[in-house]
Amino acid sequence: MQKTKYINLVIIFLTLFLCLFGMIMIYSASSYSSEVLYGDAFHFVKKQFFGFVLGIAVFFVTYFFDYHKYYKLRFWILGLSILLLVLVFVPGLGISANGARRWIGVGGINLQSSEVAKFGFVVFTACYLSKNFVKTKTFKGILPILLVGGIICLLVMLEPNMSVTMCIGLVMISMLVVGGISFKHFLILAFPALALVVVLIVIEPYRFDRLIAFINPWANPKEEGYQLIQSLYSLGSGGLFGVGLFNSRQKYLFLPFAESDFIFAIIGEELGFVGATLIVLVYVVIIALGIKISLNAKDRLGAYLSSGIIFVIAIQLLINIAVVTGSIPPTGIPMPFVSAGGTSLSVFMGAIGVLCNVGKQHENTVVSVKYNKWQFFKNKQKKIKTIDNK
């Protein structure tokens, strides 16, 4: 139990390491394209640094904000999450890029609504499960979570953003499993969800084309298969130890979105298999320590909140790496803490603050218990001395 007080420090240190490492890799991946497109090699780095500074502020707010208060704020947080998703469709406020409306523009600052909605859903689900965990054995008991998750997934899909929709859907099912959903209800949810994914791919031509490109990217190497082929070139040329930091060749306008969704390919190219593996291990340590916090949480709300945050980090990381390595059809989703994206970075840092707040309160509980035991021992010793004196 004495190691509990060090868990938060390790998580914070590793999170800061990933953030700083991400800015280095963003510069490496985007310096050439930023110079060509924007006349500033640090274009994406500056935006990421702003997100990092904002993320530090958000971290301190969530770190010192008692997580128990989220229960009273759960509907406000959920309402804000849904409102932000709706606002992307408002003309003049929502920003369209690459055929999707995923951002809100306010005063020159762009906010990606789905990044906020992911954790807003986690807060609502954790609060609901903490008070209604007995009801999760019935379908009626999990219906509010399914309804809220369905609304959020629908709004995200309309942007469209299938990768985040999949992430939220997987987080929802994962939290229900942790919350005690029955195996029968799990199967009832899992099979229709898989069928829905297939339907969404088939009915949308560009998603179907991506599926074909995933099966055989060389069938159309200059169109749908281009990005995956360039990603595999990047990873393959990295070998065991990489071509060296800042020495990537694919970043010279060969690999699209090298600084964001496909930054892991640049990491693999420049640092090799060994470097990429070490970065993944950093995530594994954060996830493992987050699971420890969840298991040691002093109440159900803390356990569900911390597990939900870890689910988002783990699932998003797996989807990102799976896409970059060609393990699943191409779809855009950032690598947590590392990919370019100010909203993503600041929101994830805020989530780490919540996670550490749960761990901190458990630590205080442990210290309190030890103090009480010590006081009891001291009082007992006093009584023994009194008896001896008599």
Side-chain angles (χ1 to χ4, degrees):
M1 301 296 284
Q2 293 181 350
K3 294 182 179 180
T4 304
K5 62 182 179 181
Y6 300 112
I7 291 178
N8 279 355
L9 292 176
V10 175
I11 290 177
I12 293 170
F13 173 78
L14 293 180
T15 299
L16 290 175
F17 167 77
L18 287 176
C19 294
L20 297 175
F21 171 77
M23 281 188 274
I24 294 173
M25 294 309 304
I26 289 169
Y27 171 75
S28 178
S30 68
S31 57
Y32 179 78
S33 60
S34 294
E35 184 69 43
V36 172
L37 299 175
Y38 304 101
D40 182 5
F42 292 91
H43 174 78
F44 287 105
V45 178
K46 291 176 181 177
K47 295 176 70 174
Q48 190 75 354
F49 182 74
F50 176 78
F52 176 65
V53 173
L54 179 61
I56 291 177
V58 177
F59 168 82
F60 277 110
V61 171
T62 55
Y63 180 75
F64 291 106
F65 187 80
D66 185 355
Y67 71 85
H68 295 98
K69 295 180 180 179
Y70 289 120
Y71 187 82
K72 292 183 178 180
L73 299 173
R74 64 193 186 283
F75 291 117
W76 290 98
I77 294 172
L78 176 63
L80 177 63
S81 300
I82 294 176
L83 176 62
L84 290 175
L85 289 174
V86 172
L87 289 178
V88 301
F89 302 105
V90 177
L93 190 60
I95 298 175
S96 180
N98 300 315
R101 299 182 68 88
R102 302 175 183 175
W103 299 268
I104 299 172
V106 181
I109 299 175
N110 297 340
L111 173 70
Q112 191 169 355
S113 302
S114 59
E115 294 296 331
V116 178
K118 280 185 295 190
F119 292 103
F121 174 71
V122 167
V123 171
F124 171 80
T125 304
C127 292
Y128 178 84
L129 289 174
S130 67
K131 297 296 182 181
N132 301 278
F133 58 91
V134 177
K135 298 180 181 179
T136 56
K137 295 298 181 182
T138 66
F139 189 78
K140 183 179 179 181
I142 63 174
L143 198 56
I145 295 176
L146 296 177
L147 180 62
V148 170
I151 292 172
I152 292 177
C153 286
L154 176 62
L155 290 172
V156 175
M157 180 57 69
L158 290 175
E159 292 181 354
N161 194 337
M162 187 171 179
S163 55
V164 175
T165 303
M166 289 176 59
C167 181
I168 295 173
L170 290 172
V171 169
M172 177 175 63
I173 294 176
S174 300
M175 291 192 72
L176 285 172
V177 170
V178 170
I181 186 176
S182 67
F183 184 69
K184 179 180 70 174
H185 290 152
F186 172 76
L187 293 178
I188 291 174
L189 293 175
F191 285 111
L194 290 174
L196 180 60
V197 170
V198 174
V199 171
L200 290 173
I201 291 175
V202 172
I203 64 174
E204 195 68 45
Y206 83 91
R207 294 192 193 114
F208 186 73
D209 290 339
R210 285 184 177 182
L211 177 61
I212 298 300
F214 163 70
I215 297 173
N216 182 15
W218 293 102
N220 198 349
K222 294 184 178 181
E223 297 294 336
E224 285 78 15
Y226 177 80
Q227 193 170 31
L228 177 56
I229 291 174
Q230 298 305 317
S231 177
L232 295 177
Y233 277 156
S234 186
L235 289 170
S237 61
L240 192 59
F241 298 105
V243 297
L245 189 62
F246 307 124
N247 292 329
S248 166
R249 293 182 290 271
Q250 293 301 108
K251 67 182 180 184
Y252 293 105
L253 301 182
F254 291 106
L255 178 63
F257 304 108
E259 74 285 345
S260 55
D261 298 338
F262 281 78
I263 196 167
F264 187 70
I266 302 299
I267 294 173
E269 182 182 5
E270 294 190 348
L271 304 182
F273 176 79
V274 173
T277 301
L278 290 175
I279 295 302
V280 172
L281 287 177
V282 173
Y283 283 101
V284 170
V285 173
I286 292 175
I287 292 169
L289 294 178
I291 292 173
K292 187 175 180 64
I293 288 176
S294 179
L295 293 173
N296 292 334
K298 67 177 185 178
D299 52 33
R300 289 182 179 273
L301 178 57
Y304 292 136
L305 265 177
S306 50
S307 62
I309 290 168
I310 289 302
F311 282 139
V312 174
I313 295 173
I315 290 171
Q316 188 160 321
L317 176 69
L318 286 173
I319 293 176
N320 176 271
I321 293 178
V323 169
V324 171
T325 57
S327 302
I328 62 174
T331 184
I333 194 167
M335 191 176 187
F337 308 111
V338 175
S339 291
T343 304
S344 175
L345 179 59
S346 57
V347 171
F348 268 99
M349 291 182 71
I352 291 295
V354 177
L355 180 66
C356 291
N357 183 262
V358 176
K360 179 179 67 172
Q361 296 207 28
H362 166 65
E363 175 188 331
N364 293 338
T365 302
V366 174
V367 172
S368 177
V369 170
K370 288 182 177 181
Y371 174 78
N372 291 336
K373 287 181 178 179
W374 175 242
Q375 286 295 101
F376 173 77
F377 176 74
K378 286 169 66 178
N379 292 337
K380 190 174 180 180
Q381 290 295 96
K382 287 180 180 179
K383 288 181 180 180
I384 294 173
K385 288 180 180 180
T386 303
I387 293 173
D388 291 340
N389 291 334
K390 290 182 179 180

